[in-house]
Amino acid sequence: MIPRVLAARSSRCFREPVGRMARRLHGTKPDLSVGSSPDTDLTRLGQHIRDIIVATGPISVSKYMQLALTSPIGGYYTRGQVFGSSGDFITSPEISQMYGELLAIWFVLHWEQTGRPSRTSFVELGPGRGTLMSDMLRASRKFPEFFATIQTVHMVERSPELRKVQHDVLGCEWEKTERVEDAPVDTPKRSVGRGLRVEWHDSVEQVQMDSAPFVVAHEFFDALPVHKFERGAKDAWHEILIDVAEPKAPTVLTPKYMGSLQPAPTTAQFKYVRTRSNSASAAMLMRDPRVVAQFEQGDKVEVAPEGARIMAWLAELIS
């Protein structure tokens, strides 16, 4: 079996989504290992990923995560109801409204400290069911002068199902809602909720900002797709990829860098494989000598380029 954690330095941002991904690929809740599978056939999404690998070769862990989490043909977060007591996990906004209320008060304090700008906007990355934003806006109404400056609420969300949930939680009216053109299901694009303009975006780059931004990204960065690398001999970096594990596949990787190979489980659908030499991603992402110096041969490292890109956007936005 492929171990649950391939390396000592793997982090929760990899382990947790893998469990969610496997649940979507196989239609049930299996072990957290990529290679484990119950005695069920692959879902439509699992078959789609398998077809991609068969056609093009092993894919990066990042691509696997992206497809499994956000693919429109069955990605985990496209289901809609994955949060809350009826879903798979609960985050702090779903436990108590105090979390959103305290954030709103902090925003008011920051607004005061920055000279009370006359135009502001709220931006949330990965807003889930919209509970946090709803709590923040409700608390902001207690400060009328601040609330009057809010021009737009921007929700960065790819999932059509979650957009619909957020639309209702924020009190938007469908008769005032502009839909995404050519979307297979009703997907809100712009609307008005309790007197505020609400806009949805697939990525942060689509957010058009003409006012002072107040940005929240609660438990957002830890679920972004990651590339996975292993430190090899002579400063080489091997990328860990996802390949198809045929029922009679003879071998899979073991966690040790130069360890022996072991028989693959007969039920496995996917497995980890390792490039023999530096991949293009490794050459690009693992070239900073200050970073490389922190790791020893055999260490596994996860890198999230999308997270770095979004952080750069945020830095530019608030600078």
Side-chain angles (χ1 to χ4, degrees):
M1 291 288 292
I2 297 177
R4 296 189 181 189
V5 184
L6 276 181
R9 304 201 183 187
S10 292
S11 63
R12 181 178 64 85
C13 69
F14 177 75
R15 295 198 300 271
E16 183 176 324
V18 165
R20 301 176 196 168
M21 289 186 291
R23 189 152 54 246
R24 297 301 299 148
L25 296 178
H26 303 296
T28 185
K29 184 177 181 179
D31 179 24
L32 292 182
S33 167
V34 173
S36 66
S37 166
D39 295 327
T40 57
D41 294 331
L42 283 174
T43 63
R44 183 168 165 235
L45 173 58
Q47 187 61 49
H48 175 63
I49 294 176
R50 188 183 188 283
D51 291 344
I52 291 175
I53 295 174
V54 170
T56 65
I59 60 175
S60 67
V61 172
S62 177
K63 181 65 175 179
Y64 179 83
M65 291 180 68
Q66 178 188 358
L67 289 168
L69 294 176
T70 61
S71 170
I73 62 170
Y76 180 76
Y77 288 117
T78 64
R79 293 192 304 173
Q81 296 297 340
V82 299
F83 305 98
S85 58
S86 61
D88 294 332
F89 59 95
I90 297 177
T91 57
S92 48
E94 305 290 339
I95 296 174
S96 171
Q97 64 193 45
M98 260 197 329
Y99 190 80
E101 291 171 349
L102 289 172
L103 278 178
I105 293 172
W106 185 88
F107 280 172
V108 173
L109 176 62
H110 189 70
W111 175 70
E112 294 274 4
Q113 292 175 336
T114 53
R116 310 184 102 204
S118 60
R119 294 169 59 86
T120 64
S121 291
F122 280 13
V123 184
E124 185 170 6
L125 313 184
R129 297 178 64 251
T131 304
L132 177 59
M133 181 60 71
S134 178
D135 291 342
M136 290 168 54
L137 292 174
R138 186 184 61 256
S140 296
R141 290 179 184 272
K142 301 294 184 180
F143 305 88
E145 293 184 13
F146 171 68
F147 187 81
T149 69
I150 302 175
Q151 306 297 305
T152 308
V153 175
H154 297 278
M155 309 286 272
V156 180
E157 177 61 66
R158 294 175 182 171
S159 166
E161 293 300 324
L162 284 176
R163 283 193 185 192
K164 288 193 291 185
V165 174
Q166 296 156 11
H167 177 278
D168 295 340
V169 169
L170 294 180
C172 296
E173 303 174 35
W174 281 105
E175 56 268 24
K176 298 180 180 179
T177 299
E178 177 184 348
R179 273 82 158 176
V180 175
E181 295 183 5
D182 302 323
V185 296
D186 262 349
T187 306
K189 182 178 181 180
R190 294 185 185 89
S191 190
V192 176
R194 303 187 181 109
L196 286 174
R197 184 174 63 191
V198 182
E199 296 184 2
W200 284 267
H201 313 276
D202 289 327
S203 65
V204 294
E205 287 81 5
Q206 294 177 358
V207 178
Q208 299 296 315
M209 191 61 60
D210 58 357
S211 54
F214 289 87
V215 184
V216 60
H218 180 56
E219 296 193 16
F220 172 76
F221 287 96
D222 60 342
L224 292 177
V226 298
H227 287 267
K228 193 174 183 71
F229 304 103
E230 179 179 334
R231 180 74 183 270
K234 299 181 179 179
D235 296 333
W237 282 97
H238 306 278
E239 185 165 7
I240 305 298
L241 305 174
I242 303 294
D243 197 1
V244 171
E246 298 295 347
K248 296 183 179 179
T251 57
V252 293
L253 286 177
T254 59
K256 293 183 179 179
Y257 171 68
M258 294 297 289
S260 61
L261 297 172
Q262 61 187 33
T266 57
T267 58
Q269 301 287 2
F270 300 101
K271 64 178 180 179
Y272 289 118
V273 295
R274 183 182 58 223
T275 60
R276 291 189 177 91
S277 58
N278 275 10
S279 67
S281 297
M284 178 178 66
L285 299 174
M286 302 304 298
R287 59 188 178 185
D288 189 333
R290 294 170 299 178
V291 174
V292 172
Q294 300 179 46
F295 301 100
E296 302 174 353
Q297 182 174 328
D299 281 345
K300 308 289 192 302
V301 182
E302 296 166 357
V303 181
E306 187 177 2
R309 176 180 60 80
I310 294 172
M311 286 301 296
W313 175 84
L314 287 172
E316 180 67 23
L317 183 67
I318 64 178
S319 64

